[in-house]
Amino acid sequence: MKTASSSDLYRKLPAVDDLLQSKGLAALVAQEGRATVTDSARTVLTRLREEIASRRLDADGIDLAISGLPDAIEREARQRLRYSLRPVINATGVILHTNLARAPLAENALEHIGETAGVYSNLEFDLESGERGKRDVHVDRFFSKLLDVDVGTAAPGYPAERSSPAIATIVVNNNAAAVLLALNTLAEGGDVIVSRGELVEIGGSFRIPEIMAKSGAILREVGTTNRTRIADYERAITERTKLLLRVHRSNFQITGFTERPELRELAALARTRNIPFMEDLGSGALVDLRSMGIDGEPTVLDSLHAGVDVVTYSGDKLLGGPQAGMLSGRSDLIAHMRSNPLFRALRVGKLTYAALESTLLWYVKGHYDSIPVMRMIRASEEEISKRAEYLANKIKSPSLSIELLDGESVIGGGAAPSAVLTTRLMALTATGLSADELAARLRAADYPLIARIEGGRVLLDLRTVLPEQDEALAEVLNSLGIKAG
Ligand SMILES: *Cc1c(COP(=O)(O)O)cnc(C)c1O
């Protein structure tokens, strides 16, 4: 081994400017931009200097490192320019995982975005008249089909002048925005009556009292955490009352000594006192999930049938579409919302309309399994078990052991907190790695694999892995390169 003083070694390092002009990097500069390649070259050179300083590089080592500089700089540059928003494999078994972007979109939604977003579209243009149109028409026609309810006959005692109003739907950025818009439109400066048991917080810091304050409406709490009666609402109504609000307990349950009025009772009270009745339904199922073994998630239609005047719900929860917030209800009230300047501030763009229209199309056709969230909810344990067995057989890494276990998936995302979907889990253990270390390795893969840790083991639930990701999942496991011991 040759000996060289470290100052000799430092002197061997090329200057950044010379490097950038070298043949190997000129092309990279043209492709990826000078700024990134310059930064990358500085980073790689700094790393080399650190290695010299810590005496990890001798004279031979430095020659080798210098010949490898263009490659190292290219790798660094590509790393820096990689998208920050990346696809991941969700093996947590939480279907609507808010941190993992909730609902994966249906195939036709991606196609529809692809065909409309890169060119001009009739987003706000009426092709027939050649005049300006409304962007809501693209989805309202499907919503009115799906929510076709004659409110006049649905809710007994509905006043004649309000009978049979058509149900209209408008779309804003998310359900939080829908609630804000509804409260501001219907109750600014007035009182809104809510049960104390419904002053909820939904993941990502959506809190009813806070959104109420921002809307300019005044919260009037009634009842207690566990029990609220119709008489509590009745007593609280004054001339300042502008709205009765019901909030769906979408992410928790109150059990035991509990009571709250039926939607119908509240709707009847609202009607006799001539006050609108709104429900924040949150997850907003468009089809009945009871046949899929999920209780406690009433549909938007259930609410409208019960006489709720305005229902708000998310686009990317049980509906399985893009992030959006819907307001469906009496067309006169929805028309007020549309003319509120806040609506303009909260509206959504063409990507959302394209995705929502495509998702709704499957509901209209009754092809629920074309919507990934619906397909995941409906997947049988047997089907998941078969995939797990097939994948387990494909894993050849000797230091990784896989055991199949019975387990449970959850809907998540603030929906159906009590629903239990039985599933088959792949439990992973790796020689020499703790569960936390193994999970970190899976996350660090090129195609990050997100697992759940339970009882000291890494668990993969294929219910939330899209079938087209199965091969990628196997590849992640096979390329872990865990050394035994
Ligand atoms: C999820 C949820 C919200 C918030 O909806 P986002 O679409 O996430 O803004 C509000 N209220 C209820 C009851 C919910 O379940």
Side-chain angles (χ1 to χ4, degrees), residues 430-449:
T431 330
L433 288 185
S434 71
D436 284 329
E437 287 165 338
L438 177 57
R441 293 274 192 101
L442 300 177
R443 286 198 306 275
D446 272 340
Y447 203 155
L449 172 56

Side-chain angles (χ1 to χ4, degrees), residues 102 174-177 179 200 202-203 206 208 247-248 250 280-283 314-317 323-325 413-414:
R102 284 198 190 153
N174 53 19
N175 187 36
V179 174
V200 308
I202 311 284
F206 170 88
I208 290 290
V247 182
H248 183 51
S250 49
D280 175 15
L281 189 56
S283 41
S314 300
D316 54 356
K317 289 188 183 170
Q323 180 191 306

Side-chain angles (χ1 to χ4, degrees), residues 150-160 264-265 267-269 271-272 304-307:
D150 180 357
V151 178
T153 56
Y158 217 85
R264 270 173 194 284
E265 294 175 73
L269 174 63
R271 245 172 279 125
T272 53
L304 294 172
H305 273 144

Side-chain angles (χ1 to χ4, degrees), residues 226 254-259:
N226 56 328
I254 298 181
T255 56
F257 188 55
T258 66
E259 178 177 345

